[in-house]
Structure formats: structure tokens, C-alpha cells
Amino acid sequence: MFPAPFEYHRANSLEEALELLARFEGDAKLLAGGHSLIPTMKLRLNTPAHVIDIRNIPGFAEIRRSGDQLIIGGGTPHAAIEKSAEVQRSASALAHAAAVIGDPQVRNMGTIGGSLAHAEPAADYPAAVLAYDAQIVAVSAEGERTIPAGEFFVDLFTTALEEGEIIKEIRFPVDGDTVRSAYLKFPHPASRFAVVGCAVRLTMDGNTCTDARVAFTGVAATAFRDEGVEQDLIGKTLDDAAIKAAAQQAAENDELEFMEDHFASEAYRKHLAKVYAERAICTALGR
Amino acid sequence: MEVPIKVTVNGVLYEREVEPRLLLVNFLRDVLDLTGTHVGCDTSSCGACTVLLNGKAVKSCTIFAAQVDGAEITTIEGLARNGELHPLQEGFWQEHGLQCGFCTPGMIMAAYQLLDENPNPSEAEIRHALEGNYCRCTGYHNIVKSVQYAAKKLNA
């Protein structure tokens, strides 16, 4: 299968990529790893006249620590995030999520910026960036702006990014000594996308939970934070009964637009959300 | 408009002009006549088209040839040395790691990256590393044994 014809441009800097985006006025697509874009181009769901390759921009795939922040360049492949000792140490749930995306070949090509911009409702990263309250830094000809993860995912395949913006980097708060985090998913057996994925980030004082972030992907039209579970964890001593009780609150918000398909009904997804909330909390706590 | 690319495939430098929408797998098969890399699902699921891009296993059906300008590619044809099969190729032969053989080049290239990063993998690690490669004949059991054979031989 071949995509419709297009002109190929290789950008050697973010400035050059932004200039090209502006020049083609909405008739261009950014190509980083291409593992979301190229399949849609083969199906002719996307037929851009211009493709701007941003994969080789120097410094665009860097992982660095700056004070209490872990900063990941938009062009960083999943495999680099999965295998980074820095990410494993300072953002466990993010490393867990990167490690279970697709398969090794997909993880070598696909990038975090590309995945977030695509906003596939069953992608793994959205749950992790929500659980971390990560900051998504978008750059355009007008300059930079920071979009909080909670405002980034607008709808199915729709984000808060504006035309002409590129995800430059994503900033995560580092876990620190009192934080326990994990990401677990029930993968679709063929596609490996998350039927249900759960990211948790718990701040602990001994066995007592002082803060909790619990986010799901795959369950609804966009990834979401589940305040029902979070509120039921905060202030509790996390013994087996407390964890189980909190997990039962998962996916009970009727305002969510739940997903349903031939593989998993809405009821099954809600059930899995409770199961994976419990497992992710237990994994984060090392139980 | 065609794009000029310089790419090293199995140690040989090629300079070609390619249409931007030409996929890497079709560049290898139809332009360079390296037909060992197979087109299976064409949707980055099955892994039959797996090659090494700068040493990393990738699915060449989901990469444009234009993207690999300046890169090094290794295909199944690049593994044997002086007429001697690579231990992975020998392993698939010795342990009956194939029946029809369609998935084999991709399996071997994916396993190549695994052994490069982890010379002594467990059975679970081998199965995890081959999650992106489908075989419809063998049930995977002998493929795992083939990779174990190669690991043993490479470590000897």
C-alpha cells in the first residue's frame, strides 16, 4: 500500500520545521517516527501535500534531568525512554508505559511527541502524563507555551495543540523518595494497544497515602484522571482492603464517554479498570 | 519530486533517487533486488519486513526510503560471512525454527537486536523480544529454541 504522493522535506532544526509548517499553511504533516502517521497515509485517511521529517533534528531526542524535573524531548523514541536509567529511576510509571507500547520494532521508531500529538484513545502514554501532571511544551512561530497534561487531551485524536505547533518537550516531576508509581495494562492480544491501561502515582508517608494520581487510558474517548479512586486513597492506610475498596471506585463517573467495540464492551472495560487500578496500586507499592 | 538518498545496505553504499512515498521495504526489494526482506501484513504488525536501521530492529513497511538517507541498513542478506551462516540462521535450521519460512528473515533480524543487547536472554525475554513478529506455522516453540541455539553459539 502506498500513500498518495507528497513532497518530502527534512528539517534540521525546530526553527526550520516551524518555517516549513507556516509556509504550507495546514497542508503539511510532521513525520517523526511515522508509526501513527504512515499507517493513516497508507489508508489515505491522511493525504498531506507535504511531509516534514523532524526525526533528525539535533537535540530533539534528549532525556535530561533539570532539578526536580525530568525533561524528555518530543522526538525521543519509546525504546530510549524504556531503557533510560534516569527515567526508570525518576519516573517509573513512564518507563513502564514506554516498555509496553507495541513491540520492540515499534518502540525503536515511535516517539513520545508523535504519540501524544496523535492522541489515540488506547495509547499508553496519556495515562502516564496525566498521572504525573506533566507539562507539554509546544513551540510555534509565536514562541513557546506550556500545556498542562490535564488540558491536553480534548477528544478522540484531538489535542489542545494549535495548527503550526510542535511538541518540543515534555516535563515530568521526578518521583522522589516518597513517591511510588506504576503503569499496567491489559493489552489487546493482537494490536498491543491498551484495552485498559492504568497509571498510578502515590505519595506515601509510611503506609499512609498523602496524595494520589490515578489515570486511565483505553476506557473512554480520551485518557482521564479518576478522582473517585484518588479521593478514596488519600489519607488512608493502604492495606489490602483499602486498596480494593478504592479500586472499586474506578470508571464510575457517568460523565465520561466510555468506549465500546467488538472486542470489549463498556461493562467489560469498567470491570477491567477496577482490576487494573488494584494491580497498578499494588505494583507501585511493591506488593 | 524525487529525493536523492545515500544509504549503506549490508556494507555497500547506494546512491539513488527515490519517490518520497516509496517505502523502505520496497526500496530494498524492488530497487536493490534484496528480496530476503518480506512484505507480510504491510501494517507494521507482523514483523516480516524487519531490518536493522543503524543497528535497531525496525519494520521497513512503515518507514519511507527517504527517511533513511545517511543511515546503515542490515538485511537478512547481510548476516552470513564468507559463505558461513550467522549463528541465528544456523539455529533456525538446526532447531527447525521455520516451516514455510515467510516470517524467518524478520524473526532473525528481531532476534539479532535482542542478542546484541542481551547476549544471554531467558525464554521469557526471547518471547517478549519477538512480540512484534508473527509466525503462523511453528507455534513459536522452535523459534525460541533457535534463538537459544544462537545465543549459546555466540557465547561459546
Side-chain angles (χ1 to χ4, degrees), chain B residues 3-155:
Chain B
V3 181
I5 61 168
K6 286 184 196 174
V7 54
T8 303
V9 181
N10 302 331
V12 180
L13 179 68
Y14 296 90
E15 295 188 35
R16 294 288 188 277
E17 301 233 319
V18 296
E19 197 185 349
R21 62 177 172 163
L22 181 68
L23 299 163
L24 176 58
V25 68
N26 298 103
F27 174 75
L28 295 170
R29 291 178 56 85
D30 304 338
V31 179
L32 303 186
D33 284 334
L34 294 169
T35 55
T37 304
H38 292 163
V39 182
C41 69
D42 203 8
T43 59
S44 61
S45 301
C46 81
C49 66
T50 301
V51 299
L52 303 182
L53 167 58
N54 296 331
K56 304 286 185 197
V58 297
K59 293 180 171 177
S60 61
C61 76
T62 308
I63 297 172
F64 294 122
Q67 287 175 271
V68 304
D69 181 29
E72 287 194 23
I73 304 287
T74 307
T75 71
I76 188 73
E77 289 95 338
L79 292 189
R81 288 275 176 277
N82 305 319
E84 293 246 335
L85 292 179
H86 184 276
L88 272 164
Q89 294 171 302
E90 192 184 306
F92 274 70
W93 185 359
Q94 292 296 334
E95 299 292 340
H96 305 280
L98 62 132
Q99 286 180 32
C100 85
F102 193 87
C103 72
T104 313
M107 285 285 175
I108 288 177
M109 300 318 287
Y112 188 98
Q113 188 195 325
L114 167 69
L115 296 184
D116 194 37
E117 293 180 350
N118 180 1
N120 198 11
S122 66
E123 182 188 334
E125 286 169 333
I126 294 171
R127 289 182 184 274
H128 184 60
L130 296 178
E131 268 179 1
N133 294 76
Y134 298 169
C135 171
R136 303 287 77 160
C137 306
T138 68
Y140 302 98
H141 188 67
N142 285 1
I143 291 175
V144 173
K145 287 205 289 188
S146 305
V147 178
Q148 287 169 329
Y149 176 103
K152 201 169 165 190
K153 181 151 184 187
L154 284 163
N155 289 332

Side-chain angles (χ1 to χ4, degrees), chain A residues 7 21 33 48 50 60 68 114 118 152 174-175 183 189 191 202 204 225 242 244 280 286:
Chain A
E7 296 277 314
L21 268 182
H50 301 273
F60 194 38
D68 288 342
H118 187 55
F152 186 77
V174 299
D175 279 349
Y183 175 78
S191 74
L202 308 172
M204 302 296 293
R225 273 208 20 216
K244 202 173 259 306

Side-chain angles (χ1 to χ4, degrees), chain A residues 70-126:
Chain A
L70 176 69
I71 302 174
I72 300 189
T76 310
H78 315 321
I81 295 171
E82 164 194 4
K83 291 170 191 171
S84 158
E86 182 63 60
V87 180
Q88 289 169 5
R89 190 166 47 238
S90 51
S92 312
L94 178 66
H96 294 170
V100 294
I101 296 170
D103 55 54
Q105 293 97 312
V106 169
R107 294 196 290 275
N108 281 336
M109 284 302 290
T111 65
I112 186 168
S115 174
L116 292 175
H118 187 55
E120 151 72 49
D124 297 294
Y125 283 137

